[in-house]
Amino acid sequence: MKILMYNTVADELPYVEKWAEKTGHEVVTINQPLDERTVERANGFDAISTQQTTAIDAPIYQNLAHFNIKQIALRQVGYDVFDLPNAFANHIRLSNVAAYSPRAIAEYTLTQLFNLIRHNKKFDRAMAQGDYTWAAGGQAREIHHLTVAIIGVGRIGTAFAQMLHALGAKVLGVDPVYRAQNEPFVTYTTLDDALAQADVISFHTPLNDETRHMADKDFFAQIQPGTIMLNFARGEIVDMVELEKALDSKLLAGAAFDVTPNENDFMNQKQLVSDLPVDVQRLLAYDNFLLSPHIAFYTDTAIKNMVEMALNDAVTMVNGGFTENEILR
Ligand code: NAD
């Protein structure tokens, strides 16, 4: 089978080569996304895969159908790039990679929690100025004495809960879906109760109408002084104005974010700090606010899984088979 892989990045190439060698399929990689200019490239291939944030618009599906392409295998979770009605109208089957490595995100959330409780940013900044003293306020808390509320105990939340439990932390879970298998390491409770008890609040929900601005003024009014907030899910879950107020008033002892509502303005780009959105500049000035450029997913395991799962799905679908990653109408 001949597969065309759009928008391939250098990190993916070793895994593509290994997969092609193992399966005997031919994979051609290009570094442009699938759009109206590049769709012609698919002519003569049996299957295609892409990962991209730009929309795959209506005429593209017609073109693909014309080239006898029957599927698109996306190498990412979010599939809002697709025009589902048009894809289905043109008999194009679609797949995404829903769970490439929940551990990747969970491990990075834990890394940043440790960085916050050990005040590493503060110490790094002091040392950069030649100050090797035990700066005031640098005394840490230990993780096994903390109560962590996980909002959204799905794939990532569960992986995070397991690690926290293994480290001796008390883990509270808030989720409309109750998973009995999590009981050994999660105590399920209500949001109100979790906010009243938690030393650490960590968001792992999808972004939807219910979770958008879930952390609003009322939410912050319920949390305990000295709470740590972690957002490794989606920026819009937290009202950033309220977050800034809570850092400013020291209601929050610290926060670590891998995502922000305006991240498309600067994530994965090179920029001077002075060119960043002004709210991000203000947040970066805090010793106890950690920002990372949406990299929680970025591990070797995750990239390998994204490539292999998408290519396997492409072959399965072209052969008329079924995959649990298929996006159904
Ligand atoms: P998942 O679907 O397995 O789990 C999400 C959980 O949230 C589910 O159990 C769901 O019931 C729960 N939930 C939904 N609404 C809720 C609410 N109002 N209150 C409490 N819980 C609620 O998803 P996942 O794979 O664990 O991913 C979670 C999120 O992490 C994704 O939606 C994505 O936004 C984010 N993510 C971030 C990165 C990164 O690199 N930073 C990478 C992948 C995913």
Side-chain angles (χ1 to χ4, degrees), residues 211-271:
T211 61
R212 188 180 304 275
H213 276 201
M214 175 192 255
D216 59 5
K217 196 173 179 185
D218 293 343
F219 183 105
F220 278 98
Q222 279 182 272
I223 68 178
Q224 301 311 298
T227 297
I228 284 172
M229 182 172 281
L230 308 171
N231 187 3
F232 289 70
R234 282 294 176 265
E236 293 86 344
I237 293 170
V238 178
D239 180 335
M240 298 301 274
V241 174
E242 294 302 325
L243 171 80
E244 234 184 297
K245 282 190 205 159
L247 284 168
D248 198 47
S249 67
K250 300 195 167 49
L251 172 62
L252 285 181
F257 279 45
D258 193 44
V259 288
T260 70
N262 50 7
E263 68 184 51
N264 283 333
D265 295 344
F266 56 96
M267 295 291 192
N268 212 6
Q269 298 169 29
K270 288 192 175 172
Q271 272 195 28

Side-chain angles (χ1 to χ4, degrees), residues 61-98:
Y61 306 97
Q62 272 166 18
N63 275 301
L64 291 174
H66 184 63
F67 302 147
N68 209 20
I69 299 279
K70 296 188 170 56
Q71 56 62 244
I72 308 173
L74 205 58
R75 306 190 297 284
Q76 67 201 44
V77 182
Y79 58 83
D80 43 319
V81 292
F82 288 135
D83 178 335
L84 299 181
N86 267 296
F88 297 142
N90 286 287
H91 308 287
I92 308 278
R93 294 171 72 188
L94 306 170
S95 61
N96 69 338
V97 180

Side-chain angles (χ1 to χ4, degrees), residues 77 98-102 104-105 108-109 150-159 173-179 182 188 191 203-212 214 231-235 237 258-259 263 292-298 306:
V77 182
Y100 40 79
S101 179
I105 295 97
Y108 194 57
T109 313
I150 298 185
I151 320 282
V153 198
R155 284 174 281 238
I156 295 168
T158 297
V174 179
D175 198 309
V177 178
Y178 167 70
R179 294 177 176 86
N182 287 348
Y188 280 94
L191 182 61
F203 296 101
H204 298 285
T205 65
L207 179 66
N208 56 35
D209 289 346
E210 246 180 71
T211 61
R212 188 180 304 275
M214 175 192 255
N231 187 3
F232 289 70
R234 282 294 176 265
I237 293 170
D258 193 44
V259 288
E263 68 184 51
S292 47
H294 207 138
I295 49 167
F297 77 97
Y298 191 39
M306 281 178 193

Side-chain angles (χ1 to χ4, degrees), residues 38-51:
T38 61
V39 67
E40 297 283 336
R41 300 283 300 268
N43 200 358
F45 284 86
D46 303 297
I48 61 169
S49 169
T50 189
Q51 56 122 345

